[in-house]
Amino acid sequence: YMAKGGKRYWLKFYNNFFDNEKIKEIKRRKDGDRLIVIFINCLTIAANCESGGYLKISENKFFDVQTLARHMSRNQESIRIALDIFQEYSMIVQDEYGYKIKNWNKYQSLQEKEIKQIKQSTENSKNVETEREKETKKEIKTETGGEKDSPTRFKDIDMFR
């Protein structure tokens, strides 16, 4: 189901995506670029759904060829052909529920190491901000002669030196 309320989703897209042998093979086909656009569209649908790679319209309804064609503004035959090709290359699978990006969790889930790196980066940013604030307060205190709340002394500070 589609994101509502301006919520944003991240989609991991490896920088060697177009070097992948499956992608290269698909690009070599007639209308290969169109097929790649359809696949990337499927990836973005899966990201919006947050359902482990399934292509879902709503909580309990899955995309089929007809609804994917309507969603992507393409004809059903081109979507059917694309899905067949993606299944041939084991990029998309179809089970009793619907279509699913194969290995979605493997490629889209954050690993523990990545989570720690993101947290550390965030903490470092907070610490840098705090240090800047401390320096600014120290400078203001020095410039005002230690008088924190002196509006007349504060006006004398030249902010553009």
Side-chain angles (χ1 to χ4, degrees):
Y1 44 104
M2 299 299 109
K4 293 183 180 170
K7 189 172 180 180
R8 295 179 186 201
Y9 295 92
W10 290 97
L11 172 67
K12 276 188 185 178
F13 203 80
Y14 292 97
N15 58 356
N16 63 348
F17 177 83
F18 290 102
D19 295 330
N20 180 294
E21 286 306 315
K22 293 176 184 179
I23 299 300
K24 285 180 179 180
E25 285 295 316
I26 291 171
K27 280 178 60 177
R28 286 184 195 109
R29 289 175 172 258
K30 180 182 177 194
D31 295 329
D33 288 340
R34 177 187 55 80
L35 293 167
I36 298 302
V37 169
I38 291 171
F39 182 69
I40 292 171
N41 203 328
C42 289
L43 292 174
T44 61
I45 291 169
N48 281 329
C49 296
E50 290 188 312
S51 294
Y54 279 102
L55 308 181
K56 295 173 77 173
I57 298 171
S58 64
E59 186 64 34
N60 298 313
K61 182 159 175 51
F62 295 81
F63 276 98
D64 58 19
V65 171
Q66 181 182 5
T67 52
L68 279 171
R70 195 169 39 249
H71 178 78
M72 294 184 198
S73 301
R74 298 191 181 268
N75 67 55
Q76 290 182 37
E77 184 62 14
S78 67
I79 296 298
R80 187 193 58 71
I81 290 169
L83 291 171
D84 286 348
I85 290 168
F86 302 148
Q87 288 179 77
E88 177 187 329
Y89 284 98
S90 298
M91 298 162 67
I92 287 182
V93 294
Q94 185 179 20
D95 61 17
E96 67 270 18
Y97 302 108
Y99 292 102
K100 179 181 179 183
I101 306 295
K102 188 171 180 186
N103 296 322
W104 176 261
N105 290 328
K106 177 181 174 184
Y107 297 111
Q108 297 302 317
S109 296
L110 289 177
Q111 303 299 322
E112 284 299 316
K113 184 178 179 183
E114 291 173 295
I115 292 170
K116 287 178 184 176
Q117 287 174 341
I118 290 169
K119 284 182 181 178
Q120 184 63 40
S121 175
T122 303
E123 285 301 313
N124 289 344
S125 296
K126 287 179 185 176
N127 291 339
V128 169
E129 195 80 28
T130 304
E131 289 301 315
R132 286 186 190 142
E133 288 173 1
K134 286 179 185 177
E135 287 176 22
T136 304
K137 287 177 185 176
K138 194 179 209 181
E139 287 174 12
I140 291 173
K141 190 174 182 179
T142 303
E143 296 279 342
T144 60
E147 300 170 28
K148 289 182 185 175
D149 299 324
S150 174
T152 53
R153 298 281 298 180
F154 190 73
K155 287 179 190 174
D156 294 337
I157 298 173
D158 183 0
M159 299 297 283
F160 300 103
R161 279 195 251 166

